[in-house]
Amino acid sequence: MLARRPGAHWITARDPRLRIVVAMLFALCVVGLQQAATLSLALALALLLAVAGGVGGRSLWVRLLPLELFMLVLLLTLPFTVAGESLLRVGPLTVSAQGLELALSILLRANAVLLAMLALLGTLEPARLGHALARLGVPERLAHLLLLTVRQIQLVGDEYARLRQAMRARAFVPRSNRHTWDSFGWLMGMLLVRSLARSRRVLDAMRCRGFGGRLRLLDTLRWRRADSAALTATVVLVAVLWSLDRWFFRPMP
């Protein structure tokens, strides 16, 4: 779960269903925007949402880094590979205006969507996310798969930590040699075997507690007036962005 500042409660106090709906509405709106000014405005709103919601610091930049590295590749390749009006020639290569605009539009869209997702869903516990998805009408099998996967990932992590501790207790020091690669191969194999055995024990424990193929969602989500007001504000904001994109500013690809 993404770290947040202690004083930021206004997003975490909202109903998880609202946070999912708002995130999806904003993402769909941003993906459909075509103009530079509205994309920049959407990015500014997403950044403001992340800062106001308490998402920030080193953990945020660590999560943004993989995206920015991929965006850097696009910025370095698309201007040279998309045909269009020539802006600059670098040897046999030509930088096109259309390619540069396309790369910038993808950069703005991706960052806006990711910042909004981190602010709204990054601070949401996986269990609450699974329950909220089920309450929104997502098929129960998918919600159950999410909840069980989150639990199994934790179990696999515990098994891996125990196996690595056992290797360190036997004075194993990783090096660039065949013994190290063989050891890590045996580690992965034992991890799979132990994870399978652990999952069977978990299933047996669930059956002992009356599990019949369906998880009971016992949480009680409460929709408040503030949630309705936030949803209304989101719909208005999306409509404004869409209107600005269709009727103002210079279009981008």
Side-chain angles (χ1 to χ4, degrees):
M1 187 177 66
L2 191 62
R4 59 184 178 84
R5 291 193 297 268
H9 299 296
W10 71 278
I11 287 183
T12 56
R14 302 279 66 81
D15 191 291
R17 293 169 293 181
L18 170 71
R19 294 163 66 176
I20 295 173
V21 171
V22 170
M24 298 311 299
L25 284 176
F26 185 80
L28 291 174
C29 174
V30 170
V31 170
L33 297 179
Q34 299 293 326
Q35 302 185 16
T38 46
L39 285 171
S40 300
L41 180 59
L43 177 60
L45 291 173
L47 182 60
L48 179 63
L49 180 66
V51 173
V55 178
R58 186 173 181 273
S59 60
L60 175 61
W61 296 114
V62 168
R63 295 200 176 196
L64 287 176
L65 182 59
L67 174 65
E68 303 308 329
L69 292 176
F70 181 71
M71 291 296 106
L72 180 61
V73 174
L74 290 181
L75 288 173
L76 294 176
T77 57
L78 282 181
F80 295 99
T81 56
V82 175
E85 180 183 353
S86 177
L87 290 179
L88 177 67
R89 293 190 64 87
V90 181
L93 302 177
T94 302
V95 177
S96 67
Q98 287 73 14
L100 183 59
E101 289 179 352
L102 179 60
L104 290 176
S105 67
I106 295 175
L107 175 67
L108 294 174
R109 288 189 184 98
N111 279 277
V113 171
L114 181 58
L115 282 172
M117 290 293 177
L118 291 177
L120 294 168
L121 304 181
T123 56
L124 189 61
E125 292 82 1
R128 296 192 68 195
L129 176 61
H131 289 184
L133 288 173
R135 299 303 186 194
L136 286 173
V138 172
E140 287 188 353
R141 290 182 182 273
L142 293 180
H144 296 169
L145 181 62
L146 173 62
L147 295 173
L148 292 175
T149 300
V150 170
R151 176 58 177 162
Q152 190 63 23
I153 289 175
Q154 181 180 357
L155 294 178
V156 171
D158 294 340
E159 290 291 344
Y160 176 79
R162 281 192 288 269
L163 289 172
R164 288 289 288 130
Q165 184 177 7
M167 295 175 69
R168 286 191 293 268
R170 290 165 175 79
F172 172 75
V173 178
R175 295 185 176 89
S176 182
N177 52 37
R178 182 169 181 175
H179 172 69
T180 298
W181 297 116
D182 288 343
S183 299
F184 278 118
W186 283 107
L187 171 64
M188 293 297 104
M190 287 302 301
L191 181 62
L192 292 175
V193 171
R194 290 197 176 190
S195 299
L196 179 60
R198 186 66 178 268
S199 66
R200 288 174 177 171
R201 292 198 297 271
V202 171
L203 179 59
D204 291 339
M206 294 173 65
R207 286 173 176 171
C208 289
R209 290 163 175 79
F211 176 70
R214 180 180 181 184
L215 295 178
R216 303 295 178 180
L217 304 178
L218 301 179
D219 64 314
T220 55
L221 301 178
R222 297 180 58 188
W223 188 275
R224 299 178 175 86
R225 291 183 179 178
D227 299 322
S228 299
L231 180 59
T232 302
T234 301
V235 173
V236 172
L237 178 62
V238 167
V240 170
L241 285 175
W242 194 267
S243 300
L244 290 174
D245 185 72
R246 290 297 178 268
W247 297 327
F248 299 94
F249 310 125
R250 180 174 178 269
M252 287 183 67

